[in-house]
Each structure stands twice: as C-alpha cells, then as structure tokens.
RNA sequence: GGACGCUUAGCUCAGCUGGUAGAGCGCUUCAUUUACACUGAAGAUGUCGGGGGUUCGAAUCCCUCAGCGUCCACCA
C-alpha cells in the first residue's frame, strides 16, 4: 500500500545532486546489486572490463552505462543478473607511471631488486585504489561489489600460472630466440599489436661497399649505422645486373670484415639499387633470411639503445648519434654514393613514443594457430556474435594475419612467468644482473659473479634480470631438484595474457557455483578500440581455459565461449569531435559533468542520438536536453501528486496493464493503456537488439510529447474523472520502469515518492505484455 | 598499399530487413500568475556527398567516383 504523502512534499525542480548518493547507498545496503535478489531467475552475466586499478574514470568508462542498462533490464525481467566488477594491474601502463615518479625523485628501476620494486609499486597502487570504484558508483552502476576482483589477487594469479603450465605441456607456449619489438627506454619488449607505426620523412642512403676483387656494389639502406653488423649482401637471383656478383665477397668499410654476396628471391629488383645489406640482429626480415641461409647474427645494438661490438667505431653512441657519425665517416671516405629523401614507417613505443629497436631476445610465445582456429569457429558458427556486425570481419582478418604472440615482458609489475632454468653445468651461459648485499649493482655471467664470491642466495635476493639461453632446461617450481642450481624467469606476462582469461578466472574465484551458473557470460561490452587487444585474446584463451585443453568439438566450443554476445561502443570525443588526450589538453572529466548535470542526464546523453559502435562528440546541448527531461519527469510526478493532495486521495495503481484494462470504461483511457503496452513491447525489442539509442529516443518522445503534452492535458480538462487519473498514473509509472535502466536515479526517486521508501523500482517487474 | 566507418535541416546527429525524411539545439509567430519558462501550440528550413544500376518505388540494396576519419601493413 502506498504511504500517505505529506502535503507539498515535492520540490519545484528536480535536484539530482541531493538524491543520487542517498539512493545508491540504499540500493547497495539492500543488496539489490547481487544476483541473489532473483534466486530463481535465469542467469545473466556481464563482466565489467576491468579499469586500471590506479586509474581515474574517463568517458570510455562512462560508456559502460550500456552494461548497466542491460543489467538493470534483465534484473527487472527476473534474471539472476550479475555484473561483476574488477580492476586490472595494467603492467606496462602502471610501471610506466611509477617509473616516472621514481625519475622525479632522481631514481630509476635499476636501483632496486625485483622484489623491492614490486613491493613499491604494489603500495603505490594500493594507495590509489578504490578511486575508480567510487567513480563507477557515482554513475549509478549496479555492480555486485561483493564479487570484485583484481588481476593480482592470489587466486587469480594461481590460475593464470596454471594456464601457462598447461599450455606449456600442451605445447601451446614455447620459448624462442628471435627479434622482438624492444623499447630501450621502458626496458621491455612488446607484442606486435603494441607497436605504433609512424610514417616519417627519412633518407635512403646509397653506400658503396668495396668488393674484395676490386670495384664496388652499392646498397640502399635507411639504417646505415647497422652495416657494422652486416653478414651478407643480397641480390635477386633473376637480377641480370648482379649475376656475376653472387658468390663474391664484400669487404665492409673500416672494419675490413668480409661478407658474402648471396641471392634470394626476397629482394625486390626495383627498390633502391636491387642490392640489399643483411643485418640479421636488427631487422625482422633479415633475421628470417639469416636463419634460412644459416648466417650468424651478431647484435651491435644493446638493450640500452647504445651501439656495441663495432670495434670502437660507434661503441657507446645512441643509434641516432651513431647514424650521423657513420654517415659522416662514410662520406669522408667516399663510400656514400648519394642520399635520397625517403618516406618510411618507423615503429615506436605506444607508451613513450621512443623508436623501437628490433633486438634479439629469448622470449615466451603463444602458438596462436590452434587458438585462432577455434576462435574463428565460434564466430563463424555464431556461438559468439558481435554487435555491430561489421566488426566481425575486422577481427577475423586480424586473426588471419596474426603471428605468434610474444607474452614476455621485462617488467616487474605483473605476474611472473612461473618457470625456472637449470643452470647446472651451464653457468657461463647465463647472464644475470642483481644488486648485491652492499647495494651495488652487479652483472655478468653467473660463472663470473659466483667466482667473485657472491652466493646463489645473494644473487636470487637482489635479482633484476636473468638472460637464460634458449637451450636451458625449463622446470616448474615443484620440479626443482634439491641440489640443482636454478634461476627463475624474471619476465612477467603481457597484461593481456591474464586479462585474456578474465571471464574464466573471475567467475572461478568469486563464489562457489558462480562459474557453473554464469559461464559462458551473456555479454561482453567494451569500446571497439580494444577489440583486438582484448576481445580477441579472451576468445582465444577462454575456449582453451574453460575446456582445460584445446578442443575441436563444435559442441564443446559452443558451451565454453567466454561470452555469447560482444557489444561494442564508440569513442567519446571532445565537444569538437577531436579525440580527448592529455597532451592536447582537451580531456573532459566525466565526474565534473555528473556534478553539473546529474548522473541520469549524463547516462541518457551518452546513449541518446548515437548509434552503437559510432563515435560521438561530447555534447553539452544533449546534456542540457537530458537535464530538462529529468526535470520534466519530475514535474509530471509533481502534477499527479498535487492532484492527489488537492482531492485528498491516492490514485491506486496496479502492476498489470492488462488487469487495469478490464475495468476501464472510457475509450480514450483505454487507448493510452494500449499505447503503453505497445511502448513496452518496442522498448523490449530495442533492448534485445542492443539498439539503445532507439529505445532512449522512443521513451523520451513518448513520455514528453505524448504523455506530458497530450494525455496530461486531456486528464487536466476532465479533472473530476478519477479513472483518467488512475490510468495516467499507471501509464506514467509504467513508462518510468521502462526508463529506469537509462535513468535509474530520478525514476527511483519518483517511484519511492509515490509508493514509499521501502519499495524500489529497480527490483520491480519489467512491464511486458502478456498476450 | 589494404580494411572499416562517415558524408541527411544552420549546428550535432538519428533513421538503413526499401514505401518519396526525424530529434535536440537554433530560428519565426502566438500563448501563458501555468505540474514544468528546464513550458505549450503552430510554423519555416533538406534534389538524404556526385554519378550509374536493381525495383512499381531507394536516404535505405548493388556498382563507381570524391572528401573526411579510424584501424591495419616487415619492404631494405
């Protein structure tokens, strides 16, 4: 029964700021965010894409309102709706931020052992944690906070390590020595996906290499400084110009090293001079070629970005300086034929924009072929569907060109790759760097440092980095023999390796039975910008992890996809349509906008008028319109409430429109009930098809331009007719329920004003038409 | 060099399983001690980027061209 209203209980205008926090806290206290509010319902689950644990809310996160709409809708439909929150440790990102802080204090990561550094970053993240949760609450997100997870939670780390071990046993991960994209500033390698290719105006240098038998061969290169590491000159076997040169010997300038001229189809005759220098240690193609022709690959660029092993010619110089230096030298000695301007693409670090160097390093790789094949099966058979659909071919074409995935990162902040290397008998081949007990940095081969009197315990304690040869014996913690001498892998996993298992690891570690109940999850909703980085990895790893092995069976694939639907939203740009970025200084803080307009208005403005998957420019006029709409809703309620007060009665409402219909005599009122039934059917259909903009527009239009502008006027003219008031109030409250997923706070405030504080619109039944 | 998206009213954008166009803001006129001025009523404004095709009929499907944007790509 509705409570008796106090006279004049409603303010003239709706004040979002005053009610939102109070309402949210009440919801949470009552436990409405937990799936257990509908213990008998069908499971429905969305896993929140975990924001960085130490980050702040931005408009991308605000777009998660789509997930809240889906969750609230399904909760009202009676589902056991679980929206599971969590945060990500964001390895590279976080360590990058932290190292910047260290730098400000005049320190660097190399001043600490791994353990110390990890502890420091852990504390730093703890300090900043919780901010993002508060901010998500402000937007009204009905997340089940009792199930919140962090990627570095012990139970999660354990599963991620198990996955790795399983994959190792199944030969889906392997270790290899090959070129990686290495950032010499951040001190780590990256996967291909993290490389930002930048087009720049460079130069093509034509260098005359002297032949042993006299004469020259001219090679064209964009990287003259690397010729000191060259192992061959290569021409196309069909190239008549160089027919006689194949098999001859080149004598490299200054260092007088002799290298062969070889033939390979790979060389394009029309490019440059048709003769190319081969630098296996610092060029991806050359590396492959060198393997094929069984050439050596001496590295002349170090992990510090400085030249090395150049017989003193360029040693110690940074690559850029080295280039200028060597070009001058070559020019002075008459080895430069010409220098031509040349458009080229250089790989840069997505974090710090440093030019990435291809450097040879032992790393762990995921063998992607079997995983991709299953991921594609799940797409082709529509076990997982992507909305909007045009993102499906984008993902598939990315899969098609994917090379094995480098998951090793030379970061401390992350999940350590859980393997050990047996050094026994191979001490000379292992390189270690560590901080000794006096706090002094040491490095060298294991042999050397042991001979200097450092103990194994001391090395392990201060360990910063191990370079284990590719041939070393790999063991897991429990496989170590008592008298063995082992060094741990010091690299950590690519963050996406752990977050790629997120739907599985979260549901496995929240509440007993969650996994069985909620996996496969219903929807994965995120910005299209992480389709490749994240969605693709979850699909690849999810199928594998959930089955505990690689499966071929379609039925099993169907039952173990990490999510049935993928819903992708677009980017929120600045009011002028430009991408928001800190460096441009055009970042708008969504929380400030919430303070100004109210969470409901921000939510509505974000879904209204933008088709799914399309970018939008943040719009103040849309925010104004949304705020006016909230106020309109409020005043509609106030109108009804004032009528109740004036006539000193309560207009009783029923949940069921169908039931109400039976008792209605006036055909106009009947019409409005039917219109509302149609509305609820339309909104339901729109939501089921993820057409949030259309649902929002329809609700806005109906409530404002039908209900308020027309029906209220009709009822007003015949204000002594109680039936009209009852239908009006019922229709109004019904449309509020339909609107609730979009604007949870106003709709709740109004609902409770009419029906009492102990009721809640968020657990009301979704108005569906039973025919 | 590929792929995807966008091009619709002055501005920002919806609409696209085909039936000759919609919203918000803006503009014009009027109303108004009104639930709400964070209001209502009426109205003006568009050869739906250009060209071609399919169709009884296309903003919506196909082809093509142009401009813009985004993503991808190891060519020295």
């Amino acid at each position: 029964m509705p409570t008796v209203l106090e006279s004049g209980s409603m303010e003239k205008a709706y004040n979002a700021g005053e009610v939102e926090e109070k309402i949210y806290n009440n919801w949470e206290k009552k436990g409405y965010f937990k799936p257990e509010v509908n213990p008998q319902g069908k499971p429905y689950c969305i896993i929140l894409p975990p924001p960085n644990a130490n980050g702040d809310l931005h408009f991308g996160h605000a777009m998660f309102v789509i997930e809240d709409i889906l969750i609230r809708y399904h909760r009202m439909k009676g589902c056991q709706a679980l929206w599971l929150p969590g945060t990500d440790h964001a390895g590279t990102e976080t360590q990058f931020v932290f190292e910047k802080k260290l730098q400000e204090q005049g320190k660097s990561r190399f001043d600490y052992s791994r353990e110390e550094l990890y502890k420091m970053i852990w504390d730093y993240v703890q300090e900043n944690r919780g901010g993002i949760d508060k901010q998500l609450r402000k937007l009204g997100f009905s997340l089940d906070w009792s199930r919140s997870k962090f990627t570095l939670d012990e139970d999660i780390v354990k599963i991620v390590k198990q996955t790795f071990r399983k994959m190792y046993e199944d030969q889906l991960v392997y270790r290899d020595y090959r070129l990686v994209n290495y950032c010499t500033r951040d001190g780590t390698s990256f996967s291909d996906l993290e490389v930002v290719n930048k087009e720049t105006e460079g130069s093509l240098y034509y260098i005359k290499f002297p032949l042993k038998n006299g004469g020259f061969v001219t090679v064209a290169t964009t990287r003259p400084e690397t010729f000191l590491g060259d192992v061959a000159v290569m021409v196309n076997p069909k190239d008549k110009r160089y027919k006689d040169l194949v098999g001859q010997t080149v004598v490299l300038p200054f260092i007088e090293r002799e290298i062969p001229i070889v033939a390979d189809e790979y060389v394009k005759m029309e490019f440059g001079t048709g003769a190319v220098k081969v630098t296996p240690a610092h060029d991806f193609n050359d590396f492959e070629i060198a393997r094929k022709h069984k050439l050596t690959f001496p590295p002349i660029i170090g992990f510090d970005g400085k030249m090395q092993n150049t017989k003193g010619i360029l040693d110690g110089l940074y690559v850029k300086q080295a280039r200028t230096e060597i070009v001058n030298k070559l020019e002075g000695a008459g080895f430069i034929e010409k220098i031509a301007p040349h458009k080229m693409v250089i790989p840069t670090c997505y974090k710090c924009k440093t030019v990435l160097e291809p450097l040879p390093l032992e790393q762990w790789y995921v063998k992607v072929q079997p995983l991709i094949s299953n991921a594609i099966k799940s797409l082709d058979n529509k076990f997982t569907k992507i909305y909007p659909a045009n993102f499906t071919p984008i993902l598939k074409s990315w899969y098609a060109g994917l090379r094995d995935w480098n998951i090793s990162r030379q970061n401390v902040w992350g999940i350590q790759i859980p393997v050990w290397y047996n050094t026994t008998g191979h001490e000379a081949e292992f390189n270690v760097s560590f901080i000794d007990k006096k706090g002094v940095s040491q490095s060298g081969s294991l042999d050397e440092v042991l001979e200097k009197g450092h103990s194994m315990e001391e090395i392990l304690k201060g360990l910063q980095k191990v370079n284990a040869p590719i041939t070393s014996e790999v063991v897991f913690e429990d496989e170590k023999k008592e008298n063995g001498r082992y060094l741990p892998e010091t690299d950590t996993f690519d963050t996406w390796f752990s977050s790629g298992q997120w739907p599985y690891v979260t549901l496995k570690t929240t509440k007993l039975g969650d996994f069985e109940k909620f996996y496969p999850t219903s929807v994965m909703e995120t910005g299209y910008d992480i389709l490749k980085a994240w969605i693709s990895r979850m699909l690849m790893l999810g199928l594998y992890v959930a089955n505990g092995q690689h499966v071929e069976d379609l039925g099993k694939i169907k039952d173990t996809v990490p999510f049935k639907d993928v819903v992708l939203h677009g980017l929120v740009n600045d009011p002028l349509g430009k991408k928001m970025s800190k460096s441009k200084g055009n970042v708008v803080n969504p929380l400030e906008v919430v303070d100004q307009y109210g969470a409901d208005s921000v939510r509505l403005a974000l879904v209204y008028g933008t088709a799914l998957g399309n970018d939008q420019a943040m719009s103040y006029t849309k925010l104004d319109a949304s705020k006016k709409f909230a106020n309109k809703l409020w005043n509609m309620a106030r109108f009804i409430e004032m009528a109740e007060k004036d006539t000193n009665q309560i207009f009783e409402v029923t949940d069921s429109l169908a039931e109400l219909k039976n008792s209605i005599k006036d055909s106009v009122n009947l019409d409005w009930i039917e219109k509302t039934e149609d509305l609820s059917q339309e909104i339901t259909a729109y939501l089921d098809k993820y057409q949030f903009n259309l649902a929002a527009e329809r609700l806005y239009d109906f409530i404002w331009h039908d209900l308020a502008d027309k029906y209220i006027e009709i009822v007003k003219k015949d204000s002594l007719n109680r039936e009209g008031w009852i239908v009006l109030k019922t229709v109004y409250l019904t449309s509020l329920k339909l609107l609730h997923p979009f604007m949870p706070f106003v709709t709740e405030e109004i609902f409770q004003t009419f029906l009492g504080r102990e009721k809640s619109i968020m657990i009301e039944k979704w108005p569906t038409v039973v025919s």
Side-chain angles (χ1 to χ4, degrees):
Chain A
M1 289 295 287
T3 51
V4 178
L5 295 163
E6 288 172 62
S7 58
S9 65
M10 294 181 79
E11 298 283 330
K12 199 168 175 181
Y14 174 62
N15 188 334
E18 278 177 17
V19 302
E20 290 182 350
E21 197 180 337
K22 198 180 66 198
I23 289 178
Y24 192 92
N25 291 341
N26 182 250
W27 284 335
E28 194 175 353
K29 207 177 74 201
K30 294 257 178 72
Y32 293 161
F33 298 158
K34 297 181 182 177
E36 287 81 9
V37 287
N38 291 325
Q40 304 307 324
K42 238 174 85 181
Y44 183 90
C45 177
I46 299 179
I47 312 274
L48 179 82
N52 294 359
N54 66 323
D56 273 310
L57 191 91
H58 55 70
F59 265 100
H61 300 123
M63 281 310 291
F64 294 154
V65 63
I66 286 175
E67 295 166 42
D68 196 39
I69 290 169
L70 286 171
I71 282 290
R72 284 178 185 272
Y73 163 56
H74 283 91
R75 189 183 291 119
M76 289 174 80
K77 274 184 45 170
C79 294
Q80 295 191 58
L82 168 62
W83 191 14
L84 195 156
T87 44
D88 192 68
H89 66 280
T92 304
E93 308 277 334
T94 305
Q95 186 161 335
F96 181 78
V97 173
F98 186 78
E99 283 188 37
K100 244 177 154 175
K101 265 186 52 143
L102 279 183
Q103 216 172 31
E104 283 161 20
Q105 299 160 9
K107 303 263 171 136
S108 100
R109 56 142 74 178
F110 301 109
D111 297 332
Y112 306 94
S113 72
R114 297 177 47 77
E115 226 172 301
E116 287 166 339
L117 199 56
Y118 187 91
K119 177 79 174 52
M120 287 162 74
I121 303 179
W122 178 273
D123 291 342
Y124 168 73
V125 170
Q126 291 307 319
E127 263 171 53
N128 292 283
R129 245 178 109 176
I132 193 87
D133 290 0
K134 260 189 222 131
Q135 294 161 353
L136 294 168
R137 283 167 210 257
K138 249 193 132 170
L139 285 164
F141 290 174
S142 56
L143 289 150
D144 181 359
W145 297 106
S146 72
R147 284 175 162 89
S148 189
K149 299 299 294 184
F150 177 44
T151 44
L152 295 183
D153 285 344
E154 243 175 80
D155 43 11
I156 284 183
V157 169
K158 198 175 151 199
I159 297 179
V160 170
K161 288 183 172 175
Q162 273 167 4
T163 303
F164 176 82
R165 182 168 187 174
K166 197 100 206 13
M167 290 178 84
Y168 180 73
E169 283 157 3
D170 289 348
Q171 299 185 342
L172 284 171
V173 295
Y174 62 93
R175 205 156 168 265
D176 197 11
Y177 179 75
R178 64 171 76 153
L179 295 192
V180 296
N181 310 296
Y182 197 88
C183 176
T184 53
R185 189 177 149 185
D186 292 335
T188 182
S189 66
F190 289 109
S191 73
D192 296 337
L193 191 57
E194 287 155 316
V195 176
V196 176
N197 287 309
K198 256 202 204 133
E199 200 162 286
T200 43
E201 289 294 337
S203 303
L204 192 58
Y205 302 86
Y206 289 75
I207 308 175
K208 295 196 308 198
F209 279 166
L211 295 165
K212 195 174 180 184
N213 301 336
F216 293 95
V217 56
T218 305
V219 299
T221 180
T222 55
R223 303 207 55 182
E225 73 281 4
T226 60
F227 89 79
L228 298 161
D230 283 0
V231 296
V233 166
M234 199 159 61
V235 296
N236 193 298
K238 291 194 191 119
D239 198 330
K240 288 178 192 136
R241 295 172 293 179
Y242 297 119
K243 216 163 194 127
D244 301 334
L245 283 183
V246 179
Q248 287 205 40
T249 302
V250 164
V251 183
L252 290 175
F254 312 131
I255 51 174
E256 310 296 322
R257 191 151 55 79
E258 295 185 3
I259 59 171
I261 298 176
V262 297
D264 196 287
E265 301 280 347
Y266 157 78
V267 180
K268 290 236 164 84
M269 292 185 271
E270 60 281 4
F271 188 92
T273 62
V276 39
K277 61 195 254 340
V278 181
T279 321
H282 304 295
D283 182 285
F284 286 99
N285 295 312
D286 294 1
F287 187 83
E288 293 308 317
I289 303 264
R291 271 196 171 176
K292 186 170 147 195
H293 290 266
K294 303 210 159 50
L295 302 165
T296 55
F297 19 98
I300 57 158
I301 301 169
F303 291 96
D304 53 2
K306 291 179 184 170
M307 305 298 291
Q308 62 183 26
N309 301 326
T310 63
K311 306 230 160 118
I313 297 174
L314 298 171
D315 288 354
L317 291 178
Y318 282 106
V319 169
K320 222 173 143 188
Q321 304 170 309
R323 184 171 307 162
T324 318
E325 177 77 17
I326 199 73
V327 169
N328 283 341
K329 274 202 159 95
L330 285 167
E331 226 162 11
F335 289 116
I336 298 275
E337 191 177 293
K338 64 170 175 177
I339 301 172
H342 182 64
K343 251 194 201 141
M344 54 193 277
V345 174
I346 50 167
T348 59
C349 173
Y350 84 104
K351 258 336 283 181
C352 72
K353 301 190 168 68
T354 302
V355 176
L356 295 176
E357 286 296 337
L359 295 176
L361 194 59
E362 301 87 358
Q363 303 273 274
W364 285 96
Y365 291 87
V366 169
K367 193 169 156 194
V368 294
Q369 257 337 299
L371 302 177
I372 287 173
S373 133
N374 275 357
I376 289 176
K377 273 182 212 158
S378 68
L379 292 173
D380 286 346
N381 291 288
K382 304 221 169 7
F383 302 150
T384 290
K385 283 181 269 184
I386 304 183
Y387 298 85
N390 59 282
F391 284 102
T392 314
I394 295 180
L395 181 55
K396 279 176 68 178
S397 73
W398 185 73
Y399 276 145
L402 195 60
R403 296 186 294 184
D404 281 355
W405 171 20
N406 172 10
I407 52 167
S408 293
R409 292 295 175 278
Q410 291 69 54
N411 289 331
V412 166
W413 185 237
I415 301 174
Q416 198 171 339
I417 298 177
V419 297
W420 293 72
Y421 302 104
N422 187 358
T423 69
T424 316
H426 300 276
E427 283 81 354
E429 298 155 38
F430 281 79
N431 274 303
V432 291
S433 54
F434 66 103
I435 297 165
D436 69 15
K437 40 188 176 188
K438 289 178 194 142
V440 182
S441 268
Q442 302 283 351
S443 64
S445 75
L446 183 58
D447 233 2
E448 285 164 9
V449 295
L450 285 172
E451 260 168 42
K452 274 191 202 162
H454 299 289
S455 71
M456 204 62 196
E457 289 68 35
E458 186 188 1
I459 296 168
L460 286 172
K461 190 157 185 300
L463 194 62
Q464 287 175 321
K465 176 85 190 110
V466 168
N467 273 95
I470 191 68
T471 49
S472 20
E473 185 199 349
V474 173
V475 299
F476 288 85
E477 178 81 41
D478 58 346
E479 296 170 339
K480 284 192 288 182
K481 296 199 186 76
E482 234 172 84
N483 297 325
R485 190 178 261 172
Y486 297 95
L487 282 170
E489 171 62 66
T490 42
D491 288 352
T492 51
F493 289 122
D494 178 359
T495 300
W496 300 110
F497 182 76
S498 47
S499 56
Q501 303 170 50
W502 198 234
Y504 178 86
V505 293
T506 48
L507 289 171
K508 274 284 183 186
T509 55
T510 43
K511 271 195 178 163
L512 203 65
D514 274 0
F515 179 76
E516 289 69 21
K517 190 180 285 175
F518 294 111
Y519 193 98
T521 66
S522 313
V523 170
M524 176 52 67
E525 198 281 335
T526 176
Y528 66 75
D529 53 326
I530 50 171
L531 176 68
K532 289 169 212 165
W534 194 41
I535 301 288
S536 71
R537 267 71 176 265
M538 282 193 286
L539 213 45
M540 286 161 63
L541 293 174
L543 290 165
Y544 174 79
V545 186
N547 281 296
Q549 60 179 331
H550 174 70
V551 295
E552 300 278 337
D553 181 66
L554 279 185
K556 279 197 176 142
I557 292 175
K558 184 181 181 184
D559 293 339
T560 52
V561 290
F563 29 73
K564 290 175 200 147
D565 286 346
V566 174
V567 177
L568 300 169
H569 63 250
L571 271 43
V572 183
N573 292 320
D574 81 353
L576 296 172
K578 296 267 175 285
K579 198 168 172 168
M580 288 190 199
S581 78
K582 275 183 199 158
S583 56
K584 269 189 264 175
N586 62 345
V587 177
V588 183
N589 181 351
L591 295 166
E592 283 170 18
V593 184
V594 167
D595 284 339
Q596 206 178 337
Y597 291 89
D600 286 328
S601 305
V602 174
R603 292 168 60 115
L604 184 66
L606 286 174
V607 293
Y608 186 102
T610 304
L612 188 66
N614 282 7
D615 294 350
Q616 62 176 309
M618 211 211 94
S619 157
Y620 285 104
T621 55
K622 229 155 66 171
L623 284 163
D624 281 329
S626 300
K627 198 178 172 190
K628 281 186 191 176
F629 182 55
N631 190 58
K632 188 76 183 182
L633 289 170
W634 183 256
N635 275 287
M636 290 167 78
R638 196 164 154 250
F639 173 70
I640 297 168
E641 190 238 26
M642 282 169 91
E644 290 184 327
K645 204 187 98 197
D646 285 353
T647 58
N648 201 19
Q649 59 179 323
I650 298 291
F651 306 127
E652 303 285 351
V653 293
T654 45
D655 272 349
S656 161
L657 289 174
E659 205 176 290
L660 177 64
K661 223 155 67 170
N662 295 330
S663 64
I664 295 305
K665 300 186 181 76
D666 188 338
S667 71
V668 172
N669 292 331
L670 204 63
D671 264 6
W672 282 94
I673 297 176
E674 277 165 5
K675 274 185 193 179
T676 311
E677 285 177 336
D678 290 347
L679 176 78
S680 94
Q681 220 153 19
E682 280 177 65
I683 300 305
T684 305
Y686 283 142
L687 288 178
D688 286 340
K689 286 188 280 184
Y690 305 117
Q691 294 177 314
F692 306 100
N693 59 323
L694 297 182
E697 283 154 34
R698 184 75 182 89
L699 281 165
Y700 179 97
D701 193 58
F702 178 83
I703 292 173
W704 197 315
H705 299 303
D706 287 327
L707 255 193
D709 291 350
K710 299 200 180 87
Y711 197 34
I712 281 189
E713 293 307 316
I714 292 169
V715 174
K716 203 191 275 181
K717 279 192 190 117
D718 189 16
S719 64
L720 295 177
N721 183 352
R722 188 177 151 89
E723 185 184 280
W725 285 103
I726 286 176
V727 175
L728 173 65
K729 190 173 169 188
T730 308
V731 165
Y732 173 64
L733 288 176
T734 304
S735 53
L736 282 188
K737 287 179 194 170
L738 296 170
L739 183 65
H740 176 258
F742 298 83
M743 304 181 85
F745 292 116
V746 230
T747 49
E748 177 74 311
E749 180 62 18
I750 293 169
F751 188 84
Q752 292 189 345
T753 302
F754 280 122
L755 297 167
R757 292 288 159 194
E758 68 280 5
K759 297 268 276 179
S760 171
I761 194 171
M762 79 169 274
I763 52 163
E764 279 290 302
K765 246 180 79 191
W766 184 255
T768 10
V769 181
V770 192
S771 49

